[in-house]
Amino acid sequence: SSLFRHSQHEQHEFLVSHSTVATMSAAFRRVVAVAALAVTSVAETQQFATVPLLGGSVDWHFSEWRAVTDQVRGGVSTAKLEPSGAGARFSGKLDPSILKAGFAGMELDVKVLPVSFSDLLGLNLAVSDADGHEYTLLVKTKGGRIGSSYQVRFVPQKQKPFEAFFKDFAAFYRGRPDASAAPLDKSQIETLAIQIASNFTQTSGPFQLDLQSIAGVKSEAVQFV
């Protein structure tokens, strides 16, 4: 009888102990879940502000843009950037018939912009209208090799903004990925360009992209909720 009572007592202690551990374990899981949710909430509240660079409340500097096309290699493609009802229109004709490949773009020295690229995380293009072609947002750095650049390629969507962060710009040399290039140093960016390429002869003919503005992207302080 004494042995039976002792066994019952041990069984009771085991059940209490197991229940306590289970309760603590459940509580611990709840704490971890709440902490994870809090971290997720903080991450989701990070905001990005835009700073006007071209268009909107600031000048497009139309007279400062210059055409950069395959004509430098004997091609015949054309490009221009001019005022439009939306803000600015990048248009021209892509013609790969001579070189079996072509490109057309417009380039601007960033020194005319109101904000240094060193203070930015990326660029925001407010697209008004697009033609379904793939375009390239391209920057060149001080002291870079002729033909070298950092690029982001995208297909603009009508009435949809496009954000390109500098960390996502890939190095290219004469139109090909350049694995040997150093990561983009945004403090050394010298020119900004919008470009379209034929991808050999896949794309040709007239093109047109209407932009409302180009803004810089800056990080705002994280907000806790």
Side-chain angles (χ1 to χ4, degrees), residues 10-205:
E10 287 182 339
Q11 184 178 14
H12 175 70
E13 285 186 342
F14 171 78
L15 291 174
V16 170
S17 175
H18 182 73
S19 175
T20 300
V21 170
T23 301
M24 291 176 64
S25 178
F28 178 74
R29 287 196 300 269
R30 284 196 297 272
V31 169
V32 171
V34 170
L37 180 61
V39 170
T40 301
S41 298
V42 169
E44 290 176 349
T45 58
Q46 185 173 2
Q47 302 293 321
F48 295 101
T50 56
V51 182
L53 297 178
L54 296 159
S57 62
V58 296
D59 195 350
W60 268 100
H61 300 284
F62 287 108
S63 63
E64 302 290 336
W65 290 80
R66 56 188 174 272
V68 180
T69 73
D70 55 33
Q71 292 184 28
V72 298
R73 301 178 189 171
V76 291
S77 296
T78 61
K80 59 184 177 180
L81 186 78
E82 57 188 355
S84 71
R89 174 169 293 166
F90 172 48
S91 63
K93 185 178 181 180
L94 196 57
D95 187 346
S97 62
I98 303 297
L99 304 174
K100 305 306 178 186
F103 66 92
M106 295 297 294
E107 184 178 70
L108 178 72
D109 289 334
V110 300
K111 64 184 180 183
V112 305
L113 301 179
V115 177
S116 169
F117 276 29
S118 298
D119 301 325
L120 303 176
L121 296 177
L123 300 171
N124 179 293
L125 276 65
V127 178
S128 176
D129 203 359
D131 56 12
H133 292 315
E134 180 183 71
Y135 287 82
T136 300
L137 197 58
L138 180 153
V139 295
K140 295 179 182 178
T141 56
K142 299 174 185 176
R145 292 184 296 173
I146 295 176
S148 65
S149 63
Y150 294 84
Q151 307 179 10
V152 167
R153 299 180 179 182
F154 66 106
V155 178
Q157 302 296 312
K158 183 177 180 178
Q159 296 295 321
K160 288 187 178 180
F162 171 73
E163 282 191 342
F165 289 90
F166 291 135
K167 64 180 179 63
D168 297 323
F169 278 63
F172 280 77
Y173 180 65
R174 299 194 183 281
R176 297 179 181 274
D178 184 5
S180 66
L184 173 61
D185 180 353
K186 60 186 180 180
S187 70
Q188 297 300 305
I189 293 175
E190 189 170 43
T191 62
L192 167 66
I194 305 172
Q195 183 176 286
I196 185 170
S198 68
N199 295 320
F200 296 101
T201 58
Q202 292 181 24
T203 304
S204 63

Side-chain angles (χ1 to χ4, degrees), residues 1-10:
S1 175
S2 175
L3 182 61
F4 175 72
R5 285 195 302 274
H6 183 69
S7 176
Q8 282 187 316
H9 178 70
E10 287 182 339

